[in-house]
């Protein structure tokens, strides 16, 4: 069935199920976007109406005075001389008298014109509408109240309509594509942004105007009925003397409709207008877009948070149709527009009915965005690791980088259980050490020596810059070795660390000592990583500047060949290869540093 219930039979809010991996801020932003697209925060039934001011009313009365028959003009002229009233006042009385006759002809038990009140007969006519609305109230309150489950109805309708053409998140944006994006861009946001772009491309292909029109027509009766089902009937009955008690409780206890008293009409005009909005809007909507059994099934499944039987949906549909029939009957019998105009003493009063327009395309885009984000967030940890590993394998021919011997994670320590920190810069420090001992020692160092003995032998400034950065990389290698060794059992810090590692339980003092030691080593590691990255970047700039040399001696030096692993290679090519290695290393280090921060 359309309810899409889980195995346990429970059906939580689809929106919160889809967005469970998002932060509260992201969830609120998406929820606001959904509510805006569905107009769920609009005050239904409170659309602005238009009343004439005194000057405008008099102008319209006199314009109509010019169009009435000669006999009517004569009678008004006679009344003017008998009563001393102006033509505007007499025309207003004539228009209001016509409204009286229309109302009395329709139903004489509704109002007392001279006393300007509504009779108990009005409330009695309203009672069947109240009864019918109560049968639907619980479901509609869940749809449009605080729960906002109408979102889930729309999601289900979209899924039903597009089940053949809509793609899964994995089909739109594969894990392999995410890995390649992260390898190139190096950030979570780039992966998310690419997912959003691919999703927009897919939606443009599957959503068309005909689909949106079908969905709007499908839910139009539900939206229209909400104005009436959640109308404040109790407050209106309170104006007729039923206060301090639920009207339906009185009816169920006695078997009789409550006894109503006359109600002052002037104080109820806004309520009467709101009631007319609901009645009229429902009447004109279901005439062109009747509620279908399929939509009734989805609505009821969402409200009851379970799949429903066909007879339940048929019963809901029957209640809905009966509400429509009762609404149309009351609308015909009540003369509401005439009552409102009469008691407002404005025969030209306009009751505006504004039909809210939903942006279903924006709604579906947002819900699909939630699904895509959920998928991306679940995949991101593995995507980061795989993308970084691939980038590392491009830098190191041997493949994986070995972890340090002591500055690492220990399986014997229950970090989560004891709320203890791990060493923060394990991966970046290990990668930097591998670069120093492999890439620098085996390749780049030889390039530094070639430049030192050749091109920069007579250029003291550039030579000092070159050797400063090269020396810094060599120093970083030694500092990493010392830091790692300081945690071995041969050093004082290492002895303390190993003792704490095996003896720590719930002792808060030992926990503080452990945290302090880890923080100290992390601070040293962060400093080493920073200096190492600066040295690598400095060496890369020198190599790049070297390739920019355009004088004759510099060009000759760059074209000179050197034996590298038994093969003659031009210095220009050696520098190009080294620069590419340094760039890849810097990029990967930035990725890892973001992951560690």
């Amino acid at each position: 069935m359309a309810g899409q219930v889980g195995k346990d039979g429970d059906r939580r809010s689809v929106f919160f199920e889809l967005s469970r991996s998002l932060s509260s801020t992201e969830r609120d932003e998406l929820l606001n976007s959904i509510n805006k697209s569905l107009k769920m925060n609009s005050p239904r039934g409170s659309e602005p109406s238009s009343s004439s001011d005194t000057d405008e009313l008099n102008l319209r009365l006199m314009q109509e005075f010019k169009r009435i028959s000669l006999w009517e003009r004569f009678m008004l002229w006679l009344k003017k001389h008998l009563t001393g009233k102006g033509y505007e006042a007499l025309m207003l009385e004539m228009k209001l008298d016509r409204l009286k006759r229309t109302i009395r002809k329709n139903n004489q038990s509704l109002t007392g014109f001279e006393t300007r009140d509504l009779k108990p007969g009005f409330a009695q006519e309203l009672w069947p509408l109240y009864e019918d609305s109560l049968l639907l109230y619980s479901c509609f309150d869940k749809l449009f109240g605080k729960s906002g489950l109408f979102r889930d109805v729309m999601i289900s309708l979209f899924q039903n309509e597009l089940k053949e053409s809509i793609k899964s998140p994995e089909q739109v944006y594969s894990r392999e594509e995410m890995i390649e994006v992260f390898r190139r861009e190096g950030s979570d946001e780039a992966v998310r942004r690419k997912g959003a772009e691919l999703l927009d491309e897919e939606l443009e292909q599957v959503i068309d105007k005909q689909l949106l029109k079908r969905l709007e027509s499908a839910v139009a009766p539900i939206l229209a009925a909400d104005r009436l089902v959640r109308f404040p009937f109790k407050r209106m009955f309170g104006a007729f003397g039923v206060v301090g008690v639920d009207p339906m409780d009185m009816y169920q206890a006695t078997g009789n409709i409550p006894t109503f008293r006359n109600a002052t009409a002037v104080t109820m005009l806004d309520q009467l207008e709101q009631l007319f909005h609901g009645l009229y809007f429902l009447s004109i909507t279901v005439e062109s877009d009747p509620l279908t059994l399929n939509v009734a099934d989805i609505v009821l499944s969402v409200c009851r948070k379970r799949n429903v039987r066909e007879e339940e949906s048929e019963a809901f549909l029957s209640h809905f149709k009966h509400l429509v029939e009762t609404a149309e009957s009351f609308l015909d019998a009540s003369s509401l527009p005439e009552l409102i105009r009469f008691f407002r003493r404005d025969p030209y009063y306009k009751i505006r009915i504004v039909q809210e327009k939903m942006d279903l395309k924006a709604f579906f885009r947002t819900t699909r965005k939630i699904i895509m984000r959920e998928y991306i967030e679940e995949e991101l940890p593995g995507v980061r690791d795989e993308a970084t590993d691939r980038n590392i394998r491009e830098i190191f021919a041997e493949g994986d980088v070995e972890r340090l011997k002591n500055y690492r994670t220990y399986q014997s320590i229950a970090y989560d259980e004891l709320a203890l920190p791990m060493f923060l810069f394990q991966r970046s420090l290990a990668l930097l050490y591998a670069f120093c001992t492999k890439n620098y020692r085996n390749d780049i160092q030889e390039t530094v020596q070639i430049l030192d003995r050749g091109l920069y032998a007579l250029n003291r400034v550039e030579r000092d810059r070159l050797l400063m950065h090269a020396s810094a990389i060599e120093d970083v290698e030694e500092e990493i070795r010392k830091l790692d060794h300081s945690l071995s059992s041969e050093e004082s810090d290492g002895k303390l660390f190993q003792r704490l590692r095996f003896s720590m339980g719930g002792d808060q003092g030992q926990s503080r000592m452990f945290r302090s030691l880890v923080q100290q080593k992390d601070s040293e590691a962060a400093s080493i990583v920073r200096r190492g990255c600066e040295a690598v970047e400095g060496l890369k700039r020198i190599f790049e500047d070297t390739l920019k040399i355009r004088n004759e001696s510099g060009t000759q030096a760059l074209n000179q060949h050197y034996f590298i692993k038994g093969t003659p290679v031009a210095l220009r090519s050696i520098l190009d290869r080294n620069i590419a290695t340094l760039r890849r290393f810097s990029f990967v280090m930035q990725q890892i540093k973001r992951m560690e921060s």
Side-chain angles (χ1 to χ4, degrees):
M1 298 288 284
Q4 298 180 341
V5 184
K7 294 180 180 179
D8 59 356
D10 182 29
R11 189 180 189 284
R12 296 179 60 193
S13 166
V14 174
F15 171 78
F16 287 101
E17 281 294 309
L18 294 179
S19 60
R20 64 183 182 273
S21 71
L22 305 181
S23 68
S24 58
T25 301
E26 290 173 317
R27 187 183 296 114
D28 289 343
E29 289 176 356
L30 291 171
L31 180 60
N32 289 335
S33 177
I34 285 177
N35 288 345
K36 184 178 180 181
S37 63
L38 294 182
K39 307 294 183 185
M40 290 192 67
N41 294 327
S42 300
R44 301 183 188 281
S46 60
E47 294 83 355
S49 298
S50 178
S51 173
S52 308
D53 59 32
T54 303
D55 291 339
E56 183 184 354
L57 177 60
N58 289 338
L59 178 61
R60 298 183 72 172
L61 288 169
M62 290 310 297
Q63 287 174 343
E64 188 166 351
F65 173 77
K66 295 176 183 179
R67 295 194 296 270
I68 62 176
S69 66
L70 290 174
W71 174 253
E72 287 176 318
R73 286 194 196 182
F74 172 73
M75 293 303 296
L76 290 178
W77 174 83
L78 188 59
K79 286 182 180 180
K80 177 183 178 184
H81 285 80
L82 291 174
T83 62
K85 296 179 180 179
Y87 283 122
E88 293 89 346
L90 294 172
M91 277 293 298
L92 179 59
E93 289 179 1
M94 185 180 75
K95 295 285 290 182
L96 294 177
D97 283 341
R98 289 178 181 175
L99 287 174
K100 280 186 196 178
R101 289 196 295 272
T102 301
I103 296 168
R104 281 175 177 159
K105 183 179 179 180
N106 206 14
N107 194 326
Q108 296 186 7
S109 65
L110 298 181
T111 182
F113 295 107
E114 288 71 24
T115 54
R116 297 184 64 75
D117 57 18
L118 294 175
K119 294 180 179 180
F122 185 93
Q124 291 166 0
E125 292 280 354
L126 189 63
W127 184 264
L129 197 59
Y130 172 56
E131 286 186 295
D132 287 347
S133 71
L134 284 180
L135 296 174
L136 302 170
Y137 182 86
S138 175
C139 185
F140 273 75
D141 191 50
K142 291 174 183 176
L143 292 179
F144 301 105
K146 291 182 179 179
S147 299
L149 294 183
F150 183 65
R151 295 185 295 265
D152 295 6
V153 171
M154 293 308 306
I155 292 172
S156 295
L157 284 171
F158 263 110
Q159 289 173 340
N160 284 357
E161 283 280 344
L162 297 172
K163 57 187 175 185
E164 300 298 329
S165 57
I166 200 70
K167 295 179 181 178
S168 66
E170 295 86 347
Q171 291 173 314
V172 176
Y173 192 22
S174 68
R175 187 174 187 273
E176 186 63 28
E177 287 179 288
M178 280 192 267
I179 291 171
E180 290 305 313
V181 171
F182 196 90
R183 288 189 67 188
R184 291 194 308 270
E185 305 293 335
S187 71
D188 294 354
E189 193 54 41
V191 175
R192 297 186 186 107
R193 187 168 57 249
K194 182 62 176 180
E197 291 172 1
L198 293 173
L199 184 62
D200 283 340
E201 292 175 8
E202 185 234 3
L203 293 179
E204 287 300 324
Q205 296 175 6
V206 299
I207 297 181
D208 56 43
K209 291 182 179 179
Q210 292 302 316
L211 167 67
L212 299 177
K213 188 175 181 180
R214 287 199 304 273
L215 291 174
E216 286 176 354
S217 297
V219 297
I222 298 297
L223 290 170
D226 176 52
R227 301 165 180 253
L228 195 55
V229 172
R230 296 197 300 147
F231 176 79
F233 287 99
K234 293 179 183 178
R235 184 154 61 93
M236 180 164 279
F237 288 139
F240 287 93
V242 181
V243 294
V245 64
D246 190 295
M248 185 52 67
D249 290 344
M250 292 179 63
Y251 175 69
Q252 292 174 344
T254 64
N256 297 316
I257 294 176
T259 302
F260 298 111
R261 300 198 302 265
N262 287 359
T264 304
V266 176
T267 61
M268 299 173 60
L269 289 175
D270 289 340
Q271 291 183 66
L272 292 175
E273 194 168 329
Q274 184 181 349
L275 177 61
F276 177 73
H277 286 153
L279 292 164
Y280 181 78
F281 192 62
L282 178 61
S283 176
I284 63 171
T285 300
V286 297
E287 184 177 341
S288 57
D289 299 311
L291 183 65
T292 64
L293 183 61
N294 178 55
V295 175
D297 173 60
I298 291 174
V299 168
L300 204 57
S301 297
V302 167
C303 291
R304 296 185 178 178
K305 299 184 180 180
R306 62 174 174 81
N307 289 334
V308 295
R309 300 185 303 275
E310 186 173 349
E311 53 267 29
E312 292 179 283
S313 299
E314 289 176 346
F316 180 87
L317 185 59
S318 176
H319 292 324
F320 188 91
K321 289 179 178 178
H322 197 270
L323 173 72
V324 174
E325 293 170 0
T326 306
E328 291 175 343
S329 176
F330 180 82
L331 189 60
D332 292 338
S334 63
S335 302
L336 266 180
E338 290 79 11
L339 280 172
I340 293 169
R341 293 187 182 106
F342 177 83
F343 286 116
R344 288 194 183 275
R345 295 187 60 79
D346 185 352
Y348 305 107
Y349 185 78
K350 293 180 181 178
I351 305 174
R352 294 181 180 175
I353 306 296
V354 180
Q355 184 172 0
E356 296 160 348
K357 184 72 173 177
M358 296 184 296
D359 189 349
L360 292 183
K361 190 171 184 179
F363 165 77
F364 188 59
R365 178 180 285 110
T366 304
T367 55
R368 289 288 294 169
K369 182 178 179 182
I370 293 171
I371 297 171
M372 178 62 78
R373 278 294 299 272
E374 170 77 11
Y375 161 65
I376 291 174
E377 296 306 317
E378 287 179 354
E379 294 290 340
L380 260 178
V383 165
R384 291 190 206 103
D385 290 340
E386 178 61 25
T388 304
D389 287 344
R390 290 186 189 181
N391 284 340
I392 289 173
R393 285 195 290 272
E394 278 192 356
I395 300 172
F396 301 101
E398 295 84 356
D400 294 337
V401 173
E402 294 182 3
R403 66 181 182 179
L404 297 176
K405 185 176 181 180
N406 300 301
Y407 186 86
R408 60 181 176 84
T409 300
Y410 292 82
Q411 293 183 349
S412 60
I413 301 176
Y415 292 99
D416 293 337
E417 182 181 339
L418 300 175
L420 296 174
M422 298 180 184
F423 289 118
L424 187 57
F425 303 101
Q426 297 178 43
R427 201 168 186 183
S428 56
L429 206 62
L431 180 62
L432 183 58
Y433 185 72
F435 174 81
C436 293
T437 57
K438 296 177 181 179
N439 295 80
Y440 178 77
R441 291 292 184 186
N442 296 340
D443 190 6
I444 297 174
Q445 188 177 46
E446 187 173 359
T447 306
V448 171
Q449 292 170 353
I450 291 172
L451 292 174
D452 178 36
R453 295 193 300 266
L455 186 60
Y456 291 139
L458 300 178
N459 189 334
R460 183 171 181 177
V461 174
E462 292 302 320
R463 181 173 178 270
D464 287 347
R465 283 180 60 211
L466 174 71
L467 296 180
M468 178 184 68
H469 293 304
S471 176
I473 291 176
E474 295 168 10
D475 291 344
V476 161
E477 177 188 341
E478 181 60 26
E479 289 173 11
I480 294 174
R481 190 180 293 112
K482 286 181 179 179
L483 171 63
D484 189 53
H485 186 68
S486 71
L487 289 168
S488 71
S489 56
E490 300 173 8
E491 300 291 332
S492 58
D493 283 349
K495 290 176 182 177
L496 174 62
F497 178 77
Q498 299 300 330
R499 178 166 57 81
L500 292 173
R501 168 188 165 196
F502 288 109
S503 64
M504 206 162 25
D507 189 298
Q508 294 298 317
Q510 289 187 334
S511 295
R512 283 194 295 272
M513 291 174 64
F514 183 88
R515 290 190 183 90
S516 177
L517 183 58
V518 169
Q519 185 177 11
Q520 174 194 335
K521 296 303 175 183
D522 278 347
S523 178
E524 294 176 22
S527 178
I528 293 171
V529 169
R530 178 181 54 78
R531 294 199 304 276
C533 290
E534 289 174 354
V536 168
E537 189 63 28
L539 200 58
K540 178 174 72 69
R541 283 197 299 269
I542 290 176
F543 287 177
E544 289 171 341
D545 292 344
T546 303
L547 286 176
K548 295 175 183 178
I549 295 176
R550 293 292 181 267
N551 58 50
E552 184 177 350
S553 60
T555 302
Q556 290 176 353
L558 289 171
N559 291 329
Q560 187 174 345
H561 285 64
Y562 297 87
F563 279 93
I564 304 296
K565 297 179 181 179
T567 303
V569 183
L571 177 58
R572 187 185 304 279
S573 298
I574 295 172
L575 289 172
D576 280 332
R577 186 181 68 243
N578 285 171
I579 290 170
T581 299
L582 292 168
R583 282 176 178 168
R584 285 198 301 271
F585 175 75
S586 295
F587 181 75
V588 173
M589 281 296 289
Q590 290 302 318
Q591 286 181 320
I592 293 175
K593 284 165 68 176
R594 277 195 291 269
M595 292 163 64
E596 290 176 336
S597 61

